[in-house]
Amino acid sequence: MLTRDQQLELFYWMALTRIFDENMVSMWKEGRGLGGAFSQRGHEAISVGAGYALAETDVVAPMHRDLGTYLLRGMSARRIFGNALGRANGVSGGRDANFHGMGDLDLSIVGFISHLPHSLPVALGVAMSFTYRSEARAVLTFTGDGSSSAGLFHETLNMAAVFNAPLVILVENNQYAYSTPLSQQMKSPEIVARAAGYGMRGERVDGNDVELVYTTVAAALERARRGEGPTLIEAVTMRM
C-alpha cells in the first residue's frame, strides 16, 4: 500500500510527463521540432509506475513512449527537450531529434533502439551479466504490442526463461502497432498468454492504474533480484 506522499509523488511525475508531452507535440506541430514526435499521452501511468519501481542498482531500457521513466531515472526535462529539438545540450548532443538512442549509462539507462523489439536482447544481455557476476540486480525493459508478433520477441522470452535471467519485460498494449489494430495482428486477445508457452510468469494489468503498475512491476523486479527468473507483464492502455 502506497503512502499519501508516494501517491502525490506519482501524481507529480505523471503531471510532468503530460505537460512535457503537450508542449513537445505543440512545438512539433509548429515546425519547431525535428524528426518525429512520439506522444506519451495515455502511457503516463505505465512509464511512471514502472519507473518508480526500479531500485537504484537496476538497469532500464525504455522505449519511445516512456518519458516518465527517463525523468524518474534522473534525466532532466531540459536535456530531453533539447534532444527533441536536435540541440547540442540534448542527450545525444544533437545527433538525434527524438527519443531514439536516448541512453545514459551513468543513469543506468540503455538507449532505445528504434526497431521494435531490438532493445529486448540487449536488455537480456545486461540481465545475464548480472547472473554471471552473482549480482542481485534486475533489468526492466519495455516494448509494444506489435513487437510481440516479431521473432526476436519470442527468442528473447525463450532465452530469458531458459537461463532464468533477472529480466522484466513490460509490453505496453495500446491497441495499435503503429497503424495496425490488435485484431489484425494476432488471434489471441491477451499477449500475456505467450508467457506460459516459455515457462515464465505472466501478469496482465490495467495500464491506466499507476499504483497497480507500480506494485506489479516492483514485485516482478524483486523476484528477479532473488533469482526467481523473468516476468512478462502486459499493461493494457489506449494510444490517445
Side-chain angles (χ1 to χ4, degrees), residues 55-73:
E56 188 175 346
T57 56
D58 292 335
V59 171
V60 63
M63 63 171 186
H64 58 305
R65 299 192 200 279
D66 297 314
L67 173 60
T69 301
Y70 288 103
L71 292 168
L72 272 160
R73 291 306 276 180

Side-chain angles (χ1 to χ4, degrees), residues 49-113:
Y52 197 70
L54 288 161
E56 188 175 346
T57 56
D58 292 335
V59 171
V60 63
M63 63 171 186
H64 58 305
R65 299 192 200 279
D66 297 314
L67 173 60
T69 301
Y70 288 103
L71 292 168
L72 272 160
R73 291 306 276 180
M75 192 173 281
S76 71
R78 184 180 182 86
R79 286 184 72 199
I80 301 172
F81 219 98
N83 217 65
L85 297 174
R87 300 283 178 81
N89 68 336
V91 184
S92 65
R95 291 186 295 274
D96 210 334
N98 48 41
F99 287 8
H100 296 149
M102 202 171 66
D104 187 335
L105 294 181
D106 289 337
L107 300 175
S108 297
I109 300 173
V110 176
F112 169 58
I113 301 171

Side-chain angles (χ1 to χ4, degrees), residues 174-190:
N174 65 12
Q175 316 299 314
Y176 283 89
Y178 203 76
S179 58
T180 305
L182 197 66
S183 61
Q184 293 180 22
Q185 294 181 56
M186 60 194 71
K187 190 70 172 177
S188 172
E190 295 190 0

Side-chain angles (χ1 to χ4, degrees), residues 10 14 34 51 56 64 71 74 87-88 98 104 121 128-129 144 148-149 164 175 191 208 210 232-235:
L10 287 172
M14 288 179 68
L34 298 175
E56 188 175 346
H64 58 305
L71 292 168
R87 300 283 178 81
N98 48 41
D104 187 335
M128 290 179 67
S129 76
S148 70
S149 298
N164 209 46
Q175 316 299 314
I191 295 169
N208 294 311
V210 66
L232 176 68
I233 300 172
E234 177 186 0

Side-chain angles (χ1 to χ4, degrees), residues 191-213:
I191 295 169
V192 72
R194 302 179 179 195
Y198 297 104
M200 64 190 293
R201 184 167 180 146
E203 309 215 28
R204 195 171 198 254
V205 299
D206 179 356
N208 294 311
D209 185 334
V210 66
E211 291 191 49
L212 181 58
V213 172

